[in-house]
Amino acid sequence: SYTTDTKSREENKKTLENLYSLSVDITKIRRLKEWVLLQDVAYVKEIAGILQEMGADETTVANIIERCPEAILHTPAEINSQRALWQLVCQNEKQLIKLIEQFPESFFTTEYQQNQKANILFFQELGLKNNIITRFLTSAPNIFYNPVEKNKNVIETLQRNYLNLGGSAANMKIWILKLLSQNPFILLNTSTAIQENLQFLQKNDFTDQEVLQLLSKLKGFIFQLNSTTMQKSMLFSKNIFQCSDQELKQLVLKCPALLYYSVPVLEERLEGLLKEGISIAQIRETPMVLELTTQIVQYRIKKLSALGYDIKSGNLESLNGTKKDFEVTYGKIQSKKERPIFNPVAPLHIED
């Protein structure tokens, strides 16, 4: 624990000298985390030495310390342990130093080393590839802070439910690994929350097969929801589209966003579409358009309108999909428009 009482303390002169010698921009540290400069003990030279040993040049070392000043408050022993830990999943030190430069905060969080190690080994046993585990370490580091038993518990709950819903034992491992790769944050949920959300879907007459379908489509995001928000979103959609429970179910299967997004988000997106002159009937026909933000919809409509394509009279399929999908659709409409119409019976005017 470091003191953050900045008024009564002065900056540590030795720390400043050592940082200057490494060409670190101290004004950046003062602006970001001045309290680091006030600590009585700092390991500037030692941490820089470890980073250089791993292959970091002077610019890289300075960059890492500027972005994560508290790195210099860790003991060399702590950093060497962390280095050994990350080497379990990194191909070499060149890759490791690249990761540290990109995600210094993730690397210099050393309080949970035992949990981190146990979780890395558990993920390897589970069959996750090392490149996926390194991605987790950098983009979802807090899943490694959990005790390994908690993560095991969540995985076991998912496996049990997958089989109970009719998933095959042969496909279970692939399903779990895919789900984790798409959304590692499901591990931050409790087993109880997962169970409750699945029960909510079953109570709303989704068959086991449909629940499985939704889990795959939602990439595990369903586990970050709760039954209250899902209920509100479904009720909102039912009122807007004026449909029966059965029709609503089909809409949700077509577009899981109706379950995932909160009422304010759905309201805002609907409003944006209606302002563009799109009807509720069109949205009901292609509900996936609600997965797009209002800004994306406006941009795509503008581009299509420039080609003379009237979205109000057509279907909304042309708006859908990822950026890549839209570019393909746009390209097709564009080439269709540019293609000259050839009339085989029109007389040809040929100059003599």
Side-chain angles (χ1 to χ4, degrees):
S1 60
Y2 311 111
T3 174
T4 50
D5 177 15
T6 56
K7 285 174 189 169
S8 60
R9 309 197 51 191
E10 284 184 5
E11 290 179 354
N12 184 324
K13 285 191 174 64
K14 192 182 173 194
T15 301
L16 294 179
E17 282 167 21
N18 288 334
L19 290 170
Y20 276 126
S21 71
L22 291 168
S23 306
V24 171
D25 184 345
I26 292 170
T27 55
K28 272 189 187 173
I29 296 180
R30 284 196 183 108
R31 199 169 59 242
L32 266 178
K33 292 176 181 174
E34 194 194 14
W35 58 271
V36 169
L37 303 173
L38 309 178
Q39 305 309 314
D40 295 332
V41 180
Y43 302 92
V44 182
K45 283 184 174 174
E46 294 86 340
I47 301 310
I50 293 171
L51 293 171
Q52 283 160 347
E53 246 176 63
M54 285 191 258
D57 58 21
E58 192 180 286
T59 312
T60 305
V61 171
N63 187 23
I64 290 168
I65 293 172
E66 283 163 14
R67 283 190 58 200
C68 183
E70 58 270 43
I72 62 172
L73 302 178
H74 290 289
T75 66
E78 284 172 335
I79 298 311
N80 276 323
S81 294
Q82 195 73 338
R83 175 185 179 179
L85 204 56
W86 281 47
Q87 277 174 328
L88 293 172
V89 287
C90 284
Q91 295 166 344
N92 49 43
E93 296 213 309
K94 191 182 173 186
Q95 187 202 5
L96 177 52
I97 205 72
K98 206 173 171 186
L99 287 176
I100 297 171
E101 190 177 12
Q102 286 175 299
F103 307 95
E105 289 86 359
S106 300
F107 180 78
F108 289 105
T109 301
T110 62
E111 293 89 319
Y112 308 92
Q113 279 179 342
Q114 274 184 310
N115 285 356
Q116 282 185 331
K117 186 173 185 178
N119 279 307
I120 286 172
L121 297 174
F122 167 59
F123 291 142
Q124 285 176 328
E125 271 169 42
L126 205 58
L128 276 173
K129 290 192 165 66
N130 283 343
N131 63 327
I132 302 284
I133 301 173
T134 53
R135 201 182 79 212
F136 289 0
L137 275 169
T138 53
S139 59
N142 37 352
I143 66 171
F144 292 87
Y145 308 158
N146 286 338
V148 72
E149 291 71 28
K150 156 110 177 38
N151 286 341
K152 275 184 180 170
N153 203 346
V154 171
I155 296 291
E156 280 161 14
T157 303
L158 289 171
Q159 289 170 328
R160 190 171 56 250
N161 278 295
Y162 178 77
L163 294 174
N164 289 346
L165 291 166
S168 73
N171 289 336
M172 183 174 70
K173 186 180 175 182
I174 296 165
W175 183 77
I176 286 282
L177 295 181
K178 192 177 176 187
L179 201 61
L180 273 178
S181 308
Q182 290 171 329
N183 182 14
F185 297 104
I186 55 176
L187 292 169
L188 299 178
N189 296 288
T190 64
S191 305
T192 319
I194 290 173
Q195 207 67 51
E196 280 171 4
N197 286 352
L198 293 176
Q199 280 166 0
F200 168 81
L201 293 174
Q202 286 167 321
K203 276 179 197 163
N204 278 276
D205 295 326
F206 286 92
T207 65
D208 289 353
Q209 197 53 47
E210 286 167 344
V211 173
L212 262 187
Q213 193 187 324
L214 274 174
L215 296 192
S216 302
K217 274 193 173 182
L218 278 166
K219 300 176 181 174
F221 288 117
I222 190 168
F223 302 127
Q224 284 160 251
L225 303 172
N226 62 61
S227 52
T228 314
T229 55
M230 287 194 281
Q231 186 73 61
K232 283 179 183 170
S233 296
M234 280 176 76
L235 193 61
F236 173 77
S237 300
K238 191 180 177 182
N239 291 336
I240 286 293
F241 297 121
Q242 296 184 336
C243 55
S244 66
D245 288 345
Q246 188 56 33
E247 286 168 331
L248 176 65
K249 204 175 82 163
Q250 291 313 310
L251 283 173
V252 168
L253 288 168
K254 217 172 173 185
C255 174
L258 295 176
L259 198 64
Y260 178 65
Y261 289 121
S262 66
V263 171
V265 171
L266 290 172
E267 264 177 335
E268 186 213 335
R269 292 186 179 186
L270 263 168
E271 213 173 289
L273 289 163
L274 296 174
K275 270 183 190 166
E276 296 292 337
I278 290 164
S279 68
I280 290 286
Q282 281 176 295
I283 301 167
R284 183 174 165 169
E285 194 59 39
T286 316
M288 294 78 75
V289 77
L290 291 167
E291 291 173 1
L292 305 168
T293 66
T294 305
Q295 289 80 359
I296 291 172
V297 166
Q298 286 168 342
Y299 167 77
R300 291 183 181 183
I301 289 175
K302 205 173 172 184
K303 279 200 84 172
L304 291 171
S305 299
L307 294 179
Y309 185 91
D310 183 14
I311 202 77
K312 287 172 237 176
S313 57
N315 74 21
L316 304 182
E317 287 293 338
S318 48
L319 287 178
N320 271 347
T322 61
K323 188 182 178 189
K324 198 176 174 184
D325 296 334
F326 175 71
E327 279 164 7
V328 170
T329 308
Y330 178 80
K332 281 179 186 170
I333 295 170
Q334 193 176 32
S335 60
K336 212 173 184 180
K337 188 176 182 288
E338 287 167 359
R339 201 179 297 136
I341 297 165
F342 174 64
N343 184 348
V345 294
L348 292 174
H349 301 286
I350 301 166
E351 298 285 324
D352 284 335

